[in-house]
Amino acid sequence: MSIKLQNKDAATNPRGIPVAPFVDKVEDYVSSRAEVDGTMKSFQEMISKYQFMEVNTQRRAAGLKEKVPDIQKTLDMVQFLHSRKPGSEPIETTFELNDTLYAKAVIPPTDEVYLWLGANVMLAYPISEAETLLESKLSTAQQSLENCEEDLDFLREQITTLEVATARLYNWEVTMKRKEKAENGEDDGPSGQKRLLPNG
């Protein structure tokens, strides 16, 4: 049973997330009722792993949804500064110090900007290099967000596939149990108690 699962799990999506086994015939995974519990447990473990990956991917996507607009806003400002010609009049604006505090600033034409790189690090860049860097970061963040959304759809499909597989396995076990009872000459009486059926 484990060999079959591993073979079916060999396929992955572009980010390496394995494809869940699709149970068309339960007999391909279990040959007797004795194997049902182990296979059920395997399916449940796989569902838990997919759900764990889903939560992590949702968190990553949420972070990217906040990051992309920030990068776009910074890129727009750099492109605006780049568009200003030497000798232009300084512009007066406000800039954010923190969430609730802003300060006024006078910005003359410039060919250099400072960008936060994270971890309390700020570097000066020529405007053209800053624009190229931000365009690259924006493209990467947008692609990562698309990948996250694609992975979330993929993970939901795998979870559904395994839930269907679990239901089919459960129904197969119930059917086999009834079949074994019938073969052994047992049946449930009107009161729910088991009784022996007459032979012949």
Side-chain angles (χ1 to χ4, degrees):
M1 181 269 297
S2 59
I3 295 177
K4 293 177 182 177
L5 284 175
Q6 289 171 0
N7 288 340
K8 287 180 179 289
D9 284 352
T12 65
N13 82 337
R15 261 71 61 193
I17 302 175
V19 175
F22 177 76
V23 178
D24 187 19
K25 294 181 179 180
V26 174
E27 291 81 1
D28 292 340
Y29 291 86
V30 294
S31 56
S32 67
R33 284 180 54 208
E35 297 180 1
V36 170
D37 286 344
T39 306
M40 282 275 204
K41 183 178 180 181
S42 176
F43 286 168
Q44 290 302 318
E45 288 176 352
M46 293 174 69
I47 289 174
S48 296
K49 289 177 181 178
Y50 282 125
Q51 289 173 334
F52 177 76
M53 286 187 282
E54 182 183 27
V55 170
N56 286 339
T57 304
Q58 286 173 337
R59 289 175 181 168
R60 190 162 64 251
L64 287 166
K65 285 179 180 178
E66 293 181 0
K67 185 177 181 179
V68 167
D70 286 343
I71 297 174
Q72 182 66 64
K73 184 170 64 174
T74 304
L75 176 59
D76 290 343
M77 178 54 68
V78 170
Q79 289 173 334
F80 170 73
L81 292 175
H82 196 189
S83 69
R84 302 190 71 224
K85 297 179 180 179
S88 299
E89 290 294 324
I91 58 172
E92 184 175 309
T93 185
T94 57
F95 64 95
E96 185 178 0
L97 293 176
N98 61 32
D99 291 341
T100 58
L101 182 61
Y102 289 80
K104 286 185 179 182
V106 176
I107 305 175
T110 181
D111 57 2
E112 186 179 66
V113 294
Y114 291 79
L115 298 179
W116 283 108
L117 301 182
N120 295 323
V121 175
M122 175 182 279
L123 287 181
Y125 287 89
I127 283 187
S128 58
E129 290 184 19
E131 190 173 352
T132 300
L133 175 65
L134 289 167
E135 286 173 345
S136 175
K137 286 184 173 293
L138 180 61
S139 177
T140 299
Q142 289 172 334
Q143 184 61 56
S144 296
L145 182 56
E146 287 181 14
N147 291 345
C148 283
E149 291 172 348
E150 183 180 311
D151 286 348
L152 284 171
D153 289 339
F154 179 80
L155 286 166
R156 293 185 190 106
E157 288 177 4
Q158 306 320 301
I159 292 170
T160 300
T161 297
L162 283 169
E163 288 173 344
V164 170
T166 301
R168 287 182 175 176
L169 188 60
Y170 175 80
N171 292 336
W172 181 87
E173 183 186 24
V174 171
T175 301
M176 289 290 89
K177 190 181 295 184
R178 289 175 179 170
K179 184 177 179 181
E180 288 176 9
K181 288 180 181 178
E183 290 175 352
N184 292 332
E186 295 181 3
D187 192 11
D188 290 342
S191 63
Q193 297 178 344
K194 294 181 179 178
R195 59 182 176 82
L196 291 178
L197 293 176
N199 294 328

mmCIF file of all heavy atoms in Angstrom, residues 123-142:
data_model
loop_
_atom_site.group_PDB
_atom_site.id
_atom_site.type_symbol
_atom_site.label_atom_id
_atom_site.label_comp_id
_atom_site.label_asym_id
_atom_site.label_seq_id
_atom_site.Cartn_x
_atom_site.Cartn_y
_atom_site.Cartn_z
ATOM 1 N N LEU A 123 20.484 52.438 1.881
ATOM 2 C CA LEU A 123 21.578 52.694 0.954
ATOM 3 C C LEU A 123 21.182 53.764 -0.055
ATOM 4 O O LEU A 123 20.011 53.881 -0.420
ATOM 5 C CB LEU A 123 21.956 51.413 0.199
ATOM 6 C CG LEU A 123 22.717 50.333 0.978
ATOM 7 C CD1 LEU A 123 23.030 49.157 0.058
ATOM 8 C CD2 LEU A 123 24.006 50.888 1.580
ATOM 9 N N ALA A 124 22.188 54.522 -0.495
ATOM 10 C CA ALA A 124 21.965 55.538 -1.522
ATOM 11 C C ALA A 124 22.134 54.896 -2.893
ATOM 12 O O ALA A 124 23.058 54.102 -3.105
ATOM 13 C CB ALA A 124 22.946 56.680 -1.343
ATOM 14 N N TYR A 125 21.213 55.227 -3.803
ATOM 15 C CA TYR A 125 21.278 54.718 -5.165
ATOM 16 C C TYR A 125 21.103 55.870 -6.147
ATOM 17 O O TYR A 125 20.307 56.787 -5.895
ATOM 18 C CB TYR A 125 20.145 53.717 -5.425
ATOM 19 C CG TYR A 125 20.307 52.375 -4.775
ATOM 20 C CD1 TYR A 125 19.827 52.155 -3.485
ATOM 21 C CD2 TYR A 125 20.918 51.328 -5.449
ATOM 22 C CE1 TYR A 125 19.958 50.915 -2.880
ATOM 23 C CE2 TYR A 125 21.044 50.072 -4.854
ATOM 24 C CZ TYR A 125 20.563 49.880 -3.579
ATOM 25 O OH TYR A 125 20.692 48.651 -2.986
ATOM 26 N N PRO A 126 21.810 55.831 -7.277
ATOM 27 C CA PRO A 126 21.432 56.731 -8.366
ATOM 28 C C PRO A 126 19.989 56.429 -8.762
ATOM 29 O O PRO A 126 19.547 55.273 -8.683
ATOM 30 C CB PRO A 126 22.401 56.355 -9.492
ATOM 31 C CG PRO A 126 23.563 55.704 -8.793
ATOM 32 C CD PRO A 126 22.966 55.011 -7.593
ATOM 33 N N ILE A 127 19.245 57.437 -9.161
ATOM 34 C CA ILE A 127 17.812 57.245 -9.414
ATOM 35 C C ILE A 127 17.551 56.138 -10.426
ATOM 36 O O ILE A 127 16.638 55.327 -10.250
ATOM 37 C CB ILE A 127 17.166 58.569 -9.867
ATOM 38 C CG1 ILE A 127 16.963 59.477 -8.658
ATOM 39 C CG2 ILE A 127 15.833 58.335 -10.549
ATOM 40 C CD1 ILE A 127 16.188 60.736 -8.925
ATOM 41 N N SER A 128 18.333 56.084 -11.488
ATOM 42 C CA SER A 128 18.103 55.057 -12.511
ATOM 43 C C SER A 128 18.296 53.657 -11.942
ATOM 44 O O SER A 128 17.531 52.734 -12.249
ATOM 45 C CB SER A 128 19.033 55.267 -13.705
ATOM 46 O OG SER A 128 20.391 55.247 -13.285
ATOM 47 N N GLU A 129 19.309 53.469 -11.085
ATOM 48 C CA GLU A 129 19.530 52.166 -10.466
ATOM 49 C C GLU A 129 18.420 51.834 -9.473
ATOM 50 O O GLU A 129 17.988 50.682 -9.370
ATOM 51 C CB GLU A 129 20.888 52.138 -9.762
ATOM 52 C CG GLU A 129 22.075 52.143 -10.700
ATOM 53 C CD GLU A 129 23.393 52.010 -9.965
ATOM 54 O OE1 GLU A 129 23.377 51.553 -8.792
ATOM 55 O OE2 GLU A 129 24.432 52.351 -10.540
ATOM 56 N N ALA A 130 17.985 52.843 -8.724
ATOM 57 C CA ALA A 130 16.892 52.628 -7.776
ATOM 58 C C ALA A 130 15.624 52.204 -8.504
ATOM 59 O O ALA A 130 14.895 51.302 -8.052
ATOM 60 C CB ALA A 130 16.639 53.903 -6.969
ATOM 61 N N GLU A 131 15.367 52.822 -9.645
ATOM 62 C CA GLU A 131 14.177 52.484 -10.434
ATOM 63 C C GLU A 131 14.253 51.043 -10.929
ATOM 64 O O GLU A 131 13.285 50.293 -10.834
ATOM 65 C CB GLU A 131 14.055 53.453 -11.610
ATOM 66 C CG GLU A 131 12.739 53.352 -12.362
ATOM 67 C CD GLU A 131 12.598 54.453 -13.410
ATOM 68 O OE1 GLU A 131 13.450 55.375 -13.432
ATOM 69 O OE2 GLU A 131 11.635 54.387 -14.190
ATOM 70 N N THR A 132 15.430 50.662 -11.425
ATOM 71 C CA THR A 132 15.618 49.286 -11.901
ATOM 72 C C THR A 132 15.451 48.277 -10.766
ATOM 73 O O THR A 132 14.804 47.237 -10.924
ATOM 74 C CB THR A 132 17.015 49.132 -12.529
ATOM 75 O OG1 THR A 132 17.144 50.026 -13.624
ATOM 76 C CG2 THR A 132 17.230 47.708 -13.029
ATOM 77 N N LEU A 133 16.039 48.604 -9.610
ATOM 78 C CA LEU A 133 15.950 47.715 -8.447
ATOM 79 C C LEU A 133 14.501 47.543 -7.999
ATOM 80 O O LEU A 133 14.048 46.415 -7.738
ATOM 81 C CB LEU A 133 16.797 48.275 -7.303
ATOM 82 C CG LEU A 133 16.718 47.507 -5.967
ATOM 83 C CD1 LEU A 133 17.281 46.108 -6.114
ATOM 84 C CD2 LEU A 133 17.456 48.276 -4.870
ATOM 85 N N LEU A 134 13.769 48.640 -7.909
ATOM 86 C CA LEU A 134 12.381 48.572 -7.451
ATOM 87 C C LEU A 134 11.498 47.840 -8.456
ATOM 88 O O LEU A 134 10.588 47.097 -8.066
ATOM 89 C CB LEU A 134 11.849 49.979 -7.196
ATOM 90 C CG LEU A 134 12.446 50.681 -5.968
ATOM 91 C CD1 LEU A 134 12.092 52.157 -5.979
ATOM 92 C CD2 LEU A 134 11.951 50.018 -4.685
ATOM 93 N N GLU A 135 11.739 48.041 -9.741
ATOM 94 C CA GLU A 135 10.974 47.319 -10.757
ATOM 95 C C GLU A 135 11.206 45.815 -10.635
ATOM 96 O O GLU A 135 10.282 45.023 -10.763
ATOM 97 C CB GLU A 135 11.368 47.805 -12.154
ATOM 98 C CG GLU A 135 10.809 49.174 -12.494
ATOM 99 C CD GLU A 135 11.344 49.722 -13.804
ATOM 100 O OE1 GLU A 135 12.358 49.173 -14.310
ATOM 101 O OE2 GLU A 135 10.763 50.693 -14.328
ATOM 102 N N SER A 136 12.454 45.436 -10.365
ATOM 103 C CA SER A 136 12.777 44.019 -10.188
ATOM 104 C C SER A 136 12.097 43.454 -8.941
ATOM 105 O O SER A 136 11.524 42.360 -8.970
ATOM 106 C CB SER A 136 14.294 43.847 -10.075
ATOM 107 O OG SER A 136 14.627 42.511 -9.783
ATOM 108 N N LYS A 137 12.162 44.214 -7.837
ATOM 109 C CA LYS A 137 11.527 43.759 -6.597
ATOM 110 C C LYS A 137 10.009 43.663 -6.751
ATOM 111 O O LYS A 137 9.376 42.734 -6.240
ATOM 112 C CB LYS A 137 11.881 44.704 -5.438
ATOM 113 C CG LYS A 137 13.302 44.552 -4.925
ATOM 114 C CD LYS A 137 13.538 45.440 -3.729
ATOM 115 C CE LYS A 137 14.900 45.171 -3.106
ATOM 116 N NZ LYS A 137 14.977 43.833 -2.506
ATOM 117 N N LEU A 138 9.427 44.617 -7.453
ATOM 118 C CA LEU A 138 7.989 44.597 -7.663
ATOM 119 C C LEU A 138 7.586 43.395 -8.499
ATOM 120 O O LEU A 138 6.609 42.700 -8.182
ATOM 121 C CB LEU A 138 7.542 45.892 -8.352
ATOM 122 C CG LEU A 138 6.045 46.017 -8.646
ATOM 123 C CD1 LEU A 138 5.234 45.973 -7.359
ATOM 124 C CD2 LEU A 138 5.766 47.307 -9.413
ATOM 125 N N SER A 139 8.331 43.133 -9.565
ATOM 126 C CA SER A 139 8.032 41.991 -10.420
ATOM 127 C C SER A 139 8.148 40.677 -9.653
ATOM 128 O O SER A 139 7.297 39.788 -9.766
ATOM 129 C CB SER A 139 8.981 41.976 -11.622
ATOM 130 O OG SER A 139 8.770 40.843 -12.424
ATOM 131 N N THR A 140 9.197 40.575 -8.829
ATOM 132 C CA THR A 140 9.400 39.358 -8.026
ATOM 133 C C THR A 140 8.273 39.165 -7.024
ATOM 134 O O THR A 140 7.755 38.049 -6.851
ATOM 135 C CB THR A 140 10.748 39.432 -7.284
ATOM 136 O OG1 THR A 140 11.803 39.537 -8.238
ATOM 137 C CG2 THR A 140 10.965 38.191 -6.434
ATOM 138 N N ALA A 141 7.877 40.252 -6.355
ATOM 139 C CA ALA A 141 6.805 40.161 -5.357
ATOM 140 C C ALA A 141 5.476 39.799 -6.013
ATOM 141 O O ALA A 141 4.700 38.987 -5.475
ATOM 142 C CB ALA A 141 6.674 41.482 -4.601
ATOM 143 N N GLN A 142 5.186 40.382 -7.165
ATOM 144 C CA GLN A 142 3.944 40.068 -7.878
ATOM 145 C C GLN A 142 3.922 38.612 -8.328
ATOM 146 O O GLN A 142 2.897 37.935 -8.223
ATOM 147 C CB GLN A 142 3.777 41.004 -9.071
ATOM 148 C CG GLN A 142 3.443 42.433 -8.688
ATOM 149 C CD GLN A 142 3.472 43.381 -9.866
ATOM 150 O OE1 GLN A 142 4.172 43.150 -10.854
ATOM 151 N NE2 GLN A 142 2.706 44.468 -9.791
#
